[in-house]
Amino acid sequence: MIRWILKGMLRDKSRSLFPFLVVAVGVALTVGLLGFMDGVFMGMIDMTAKLDTGHIRFVNKPFYEEEHLLPMDRALAGQKKTLAWLREHGDPRIQWSPRIRWGAIMDIPDEEGNTLSQTPVIGMAVQLLDPQSPERKRLQLEQSVIKGKIPSRSKQILVGYQLAETLKLTIGDTATLMGQTFDGGLATDNYTVSGFIRFGVAAMDKKMVLIDLGDAQQTFYMENMVTDWLGFLPRSVAYGDYEKIKQRIEQGLAALIKNPPEDWASDDEPIVLSILDQRNLGEIIKKFELIRGIIVMIFSFLMVLVLWNAGLINGIHRYGEMGLRLAMGETHKALMASLALEAFAVGLAGAMAGCLVGGTVVYFLQEVGVDMGDAMAQSGLMVNDVVRGRLSVEGFIRGIVPGMTASVAGSLIASLAIFQRSEANLFRELETG
Amino acid sequence: MLKIQNVSKVYRVGGQDFIALHNINLEIEDGAFMSFVGPSGSGKTTLLNLIGGLDSPTSGEVVFNGFHLNEMSRDQLAVLRRENIGFIFQSYNLLPVYSVYENILFPLLLNKQKESQVRDKVMALVEKVGLSAEANKKPAELSGGQCQRVAIARALVKDPLLVLADEPTANLDVENSHHILEMMRTLNQETQAAFIFSTHDEKVTRFVNREVALEDGYVKSDKVKQPNGELI
Ligand SMILES: Nc1ncnc2c1ncn2[C@@H]1O[C@H](COP(=O)(O)OP(=O)(O)OP(=O)(O)O)[C@@H](O)[C@H]1O
Ligand SMILES: [Mg+2]
């Protein structure tokens, strides 16, 4: 019987091809759009994580509370012990990276040592020098350093390319950093400009410089201290899980605070943050998910609408067939079930085709990406200027489920008339063909 | 096999009662080959409807093969039709996307039989109605007479007790009509399925064994064929 039904469906294009195309197009659009949005969004999360917050951040509360002032005196000591503790009590999937956020005046002297130009900079210190350092890859230094080289010796500095332009820097220039030491004194140190870096975020390209973590600890007298521990999770961990991972680390934290490493200051009190707690990302995610939901709903609604109409037309087209089947003793329920089966089959085929098309587009976006050029960089959002899609199982499900539901729902709404159709007039109805 | 007892059918049209059938009493035996004749509007289709359990009488009772149709639910009636009653229509009503073979197969699939087990039976019937060469053709490629032969085979394939045919020859020319009636009579004798058809075609008379004439919802006459071939 099922084979008989499917055979009829395949032969009658009006009951297979059109609804198939509707579902395929609807699902392709949904999968494509959601994949694109997911990609942009995950790109934003990733970018923010790499440059700023990590996925999980372990930071001293006094530092975090005044982080806009970059109070380096609130950095957390005991680097090795802290790392050991994090490795033991943190999630095994996390890669921990120590960083120092610092602020200083950058002074560019001329040959005689007189100030040529001077500007406040925001700096970041990461483990740069070791070619094996995961930070090199994480910050994509190979691609981001658009002129010059990645520092290979100590006391070398990478300068945001727009900042370098304003200061008219050339590679090899000396840059003097003047800031506060850990205990409030004046710190100055000379660095050599080794390269210009392009983060792809306007705010950073204009203000940011990058030095090695060890150099920063020397320059600012921060032996064995870091301001941040950034934890990075693999892409396979969804952002929905960050909160859980954070809470698990928090559970062990109380014991650590009660029995802290001896070189911690008495008021040191590290806290664990998820990226979603920072930079308003939690709110943005809620909005993003809302918009995504609305998009899925709109597409589903449109599909239901079109398929319902297709079903109605089909119902007229097959009025005789339905009447005949009722007369021959098929029950109303069986007839509806057989129509639902047809709709299910069409929906499945359409959803598969839609996934294939939408998925291919997203795959292309994911692997190749679309260069939005400066438009993105200038937006000030932490979004990479190469927009990428993101292919995910959930993305497909969000396309397939509404596609199939729309197909079955549309056809069932349309065939409700069958349920009310009475047998009493079948003879007369069938008379006229 | 079939008892129609004091059956009346009243339609309500525009707030007024219209009596389509007046207190009909008929008894029809197994293997009957009979017709309801009468002018348009006399109630032939209405009566076939009641016999087939497609509609229910306003009063009176239809008893088919021991089943009191009044007491059965819509789904039970559907099962009864599916298993015991074949239908033939004036305008054939074949399913256009299926071949001759598949159209005839369909009632068996409805009765949950497997195609592999009934293929030979269906093909034998295809041959019996003379359509072996057309078995794989679609209805659109057939003549009216051929279509009606498919419909006959489709009605008979499930070995029904009763075949109801509403004006089966109305769309056919004289030659084809005779052919169809001849074929139905042969099959009636071979299969023991009873045939009841409605018609306003006088020529049909000579094929049937019994002829019930209806007029304005009344049974005007009920003639049974004598051994000499005359209806009385
Ligand atoms: N559903 C209905 N509602 C109201 N009146 C109906 C209905 N069905 C049939 N009638 C009326 O009942 C009467 C008998 O109709 P029926 O269809 O049984 O006649 P018939 O003998 O089959 O006629 P024909 O030869 O034209 O097919 C007609 O007057 C018709 O108008
Ligand atoms: Mg009629």
Side-chain angles (χ1 to χ4, degrees):
Chain A
M1 187 71 186
I2 287 175
R3 255 185 60 205
W4 197 84
I5 290 170
L6 296 181
K7 217 189 275 179
M9 219 175 72
L10 287 179
R11 289 184 195 161
D12 183 358
K13 297 276 177 294
S14 74
R15 67 178 100 150
S16 48
L17 191 61
F18 179 70
F20 167 83
L21 287 177
V22 172
V23 175
V25 169
V27 171
L29 285 175
T30 314
V31 168
L33 200 60
L34 292 186
F36 175 73
M37 284 178 62
D38 260 17
V40 172
F41 192 71
M42 281 309 279
M44 187 163 112
I45 288 195
D46 256 27
M47 191 86 166
T48 308
K50 283 173 183 164
L51 294 178
D52 190 10
T53 63
H55 295 121
I56 301 288
R57 181 176 171 195
F58 187 82
V59 61
N60 201 3
K61 194 168 163 202
F63 179 87
Y64 179 65
E65 278 169 353
E66 296 183 341
E67 127 180 274
H68 54 288
L69 300 173
L70 300 169
M72 287 180 277
D73 53 336
R74 285 352 218 2
L76 206 55
Q79 186 181 339
K80 279 214 181 78
K81 278 183 191 143
T82 314
L83 179 61
W85 185 87
L86 285 171
R87 285 205 173 129
E88 190 182 338
H89 294 86
D91 191 286
R93 290 168 296 181
I94 299 180
Q95 270 198 340
W96 291 101
S97 289
R99 290 193 186 177
I100 294 176
R101 292 166 204 263
W102 51 272
I105 304 289
M106 188 163 80
D107 184 288
I108 310 297
D110 60 13
E111 282 99 71
E112 275 104 58
N114 297 321
T115 297
L116 205 59
S117 53
Q118 208 177 52
T119 184
V121 292
I122 295 171
M124 194 158 53
V126 305
Q127 286 171 330
L128 261 190
L129 296 185
D130 179 3
Q132 302 306 318
S133 163
E135 299 276 55
R136 283 192 169 202
K137 232 192 173 161
R138 193 167 291 136
L139 296 172
Q140 291 175 302
L141 291 184
E142 300 284 348
Q143 297 99 297
S144 308
V145 175
I146 54 175
K147 203 165 172 212
K149 289 195 312 259
I150 305 171
S152 53
R153 287 183 291 108
S154 79
K155 297 291 160 66
Q156 289 186 321
I157 187 167
L158 285 170
V159 182
Y161 82 104
Q162 284 180 322
L163 177 62
E165 260 168 39
T166 345
L167 297 177
K168 302 202 178 59
L169 287 181
T170 48
I171 308 291
D173 281 355
T174 301
T176 307
L177 298 180
M178 298 187 286
Q180 272 195 334
T181 62
F182 169 67
D183 47 12
L186 183 72
T188 59
D189 218 339
N190 287 335
Y191 282 76
T192 311
V193 176
S194 85
F196 301 156
I197 183 167
R198 185 175 186 285
F199 296 101
V201 178
M204 302 182 101
D205 290 335
K206 280 180 187 151
K207 279 226 161 65
M208 191 98 151
V209 297
L210 206 61
I211 59 177
D212 178 61
L213 187 80
D215 286 347
Q217 286 172 333
Q218 251 181 23
T219 298
F220 302 109
Y221 297 91
M222 292 174 70
E223 192 69 31
N224 213 13
M225 303 179 84
V226 300
T227 64
D228 287 83
W229 287 96
L230 300 189
F232 294 94
L233 284 156
R235 274 210 132 188
S236 56
V237 180
Y239 60 73
D241 293 340
Y242 294 169
E243 186 65 27
K244 253 181 281 158
I245 293 170
K246 163 188 153 183
Q247 283 169 4
R248 226 174 292 139
I249 302 174
E250 269 174 347
Q251 276 166 17
L253 200 53
L256 178 71
I257 289 171
K258 214 174 271 173
N259 187 13
E262 56 212 35
D263 34 8
W264 279 16
S266 58
D267 59 348
D268 278 349
E269 187 192 347
I271 51 172
V272 190
L273 300 166
S274 130
I275 185 172
L276 304 183
D277 303 330
Q278 302 165 69
R279 314 292 174 247
N280 215 17
L281 274 177
E283 282 303 306
I284 296 174
I285 273 191
K286 275 190 201 132
K287 291 207 181 90
F288 167 79
E289 287 179 341
L290 181 71
I291 292 171
R292 191 171 62 187
I294 291 173
I295 287 178
V296 171
M297 258 165 57
I298 289 175
F299 276 96
S300 313
F301 179 73
L302 288 180
M303 279 191 279
V304 170
L305 213 62
V306 175
L307 291 168
W308 173 11
N309 272 285
L312 283 178
I313 292 167
N314 201 17
I316 295 165
H317 173 66
R318 297 169 73 188
Y319 197 70
E321 176 191 337
M322 297 305 147
L324 177 85
R325 286 166 66 171
L326 287 175
M328 281 168 57
E330 198 163 354
T331 60
H332 289 70
K333 267 176 248 140
L335 202 53
M336 300 275 284
S338 119
L339 285 175
L341 173 75
E342 285 186 22
F344 183 84
V346 168
L348 189 68
M352 289 302 137
C355 279
L356 202 69
V357 175
T360 308
V361 172
V362 176
Y363 182 76
F364 171 81
L365 278 176
Q366 175 177 290
E367 297 303 312
V368 182
V370 174
D371 194 343
M372 304 286 280
D374 283 339
M376 277 293 179
Q378 297 306 326
S379 72
L381 287 172
M382 277 220 184
V383 180
N384 204 311
D385 42 8
V386 177
V387 170
R388 292 184 179 277
R390 179 167 182 265
L391 214 52
S392 66
V393 176
E394 301 94 67
F396 281 127
I397 292 174
R398 283 192 198 97
I400 293 172
V401 170
M404 308 250 340
T405 315
S407 180
V408 175
S411 123
L412 282 186
I413 300 174
S415 62
L416 275 184
I418 288 178
F419 213 69
Q420 280 147 22
R421 190 163 169 190
S422 119
E423 289 95 334
N425 288 312
L426 287 178
F427 256 126
R428 271 175 281 264
E429 286 167 3
L430 292 169
E431 214 77 301
T432 47
Chain B
M1 174 198 64
L2 184 67
K3 274 190 207 136
I4 298 162
Q5 293 168 332
N6 301 319
V7 161
S8 295
K9 181 69 188 177
V10 181
Y11 289 115
R12 231 184 142 69
V13 185
Q16 284 200 317
D17 283 349
F18 175 83
I19 305 174
L21 290 175
H22 290 268
N23 207 30
I24 307 284
N25 281 288
L26 284 173
E27 193 151 331
I28 296 166
E29 66 284 6
D30 283 357
F33 194 71
M34 63 181 291
S35 63
F36 296 153
V37 296
S40 187
S42 57
K44 306 181 294 291
T45 298
T46 304
L47 192 50
L48 287 182
N49 258 335
L50 299 181
I51 294 172
L54 293 170
D55 203 356
S56 50
T58 312
S59 64
E61 197 173 32
V62 178
V63 184
F64 173 77
N65 199 28
F67 292 104
H68 294 250
L69 302 194
N70 300 18
E71 294 160 12
M72 296 170 74
S73 72
R74 195 189 204 187
D75 284 358
Q76 287 172 326
L77 287 171
V79 174
L80 185 80
R81 283 200 300 279
R82 194 157 79 201
E83 290 173 352
N84 298 306
I85 305 179
F87 287 91
I88 298 172
F89 305 90
Q90 175 181 332
S91 49
Y92 328 128
N93 284 294
L94 302 179
L95 301 179
V97 298
Y98 295 102
S99 69
V100 166
Y101 168 80
E102 288 161 342
N103 264 282
I104 298 171
L105 171 69
F106 181 55
L108 296 180
L109 296 179
L110 271 189
N111 276 327
K112 306 202 164 53
Q113 290 185 266
K114 286 226 160 64
E115 187 193 345
S116 53
Q117 283 161 8
V118 296
R119 189 174 290 132
D120 293 344
K121 177 179 186 176
V122 173
M123 282 316 290
L125 206 52
V126 169
E127 201 179 322
K128 193 162 270 173
V129 295
L131 291 172
S132 300
E134 282 79 20
N136 291 317
K137 287 189 178 168
K138 301 280 161 61
E141 303 167 69
L142 304 180
S143 72
Q146 288 173 322
C147 282
Q148 203 58 305
R149 279 189 269 160
V150 176
I152 291 170
R154 179 177 65 183
L156 283 170
V157 72
K158 60 189 169 191
D159 302 317
L161 283 171
L162 174 64
V163 174
L164 296 176
D166 198 12
E167 317 243 9
T169 58
N171 281 1
L172 301 174
D173 57 31
V174 179
E175 195 181 330
N176 268 310
S177 298
H178 283 185
H179 211 88
I180 290 292
L181 287 162
E182 205 86 65
M183 180 174 282
M184 290 206 284
R185 189 163 64 182
T186 313
L187 288 165
N188 165 252
Q189 279 153 13
E190 287 179 12
T191 64
Q192 288 307 305
F195 278 70
I196 305 177
F197 41 88
S198 76
T199 180
H200 43 232
D201 185 354
E202 298 294 326
K203 299 183 295 292
V204 168
T205 306
R206 65 187 165 95
F207 292 92
V208 297
N209 301 329
R210 182 178 174 191
E211 182 179 277
V212 174
L214 295 174
E215 204 173 290
D216 295 333
Y218 291 97
V219 174
K220 199 178 119 200
S221 67
D222 185 353
K223 300 177 193 159
V224 180
K225 198 175 252 180
Q226 292 297 93
N228 65 3
E230 287 278 304
L231 286 169
I232 53 158

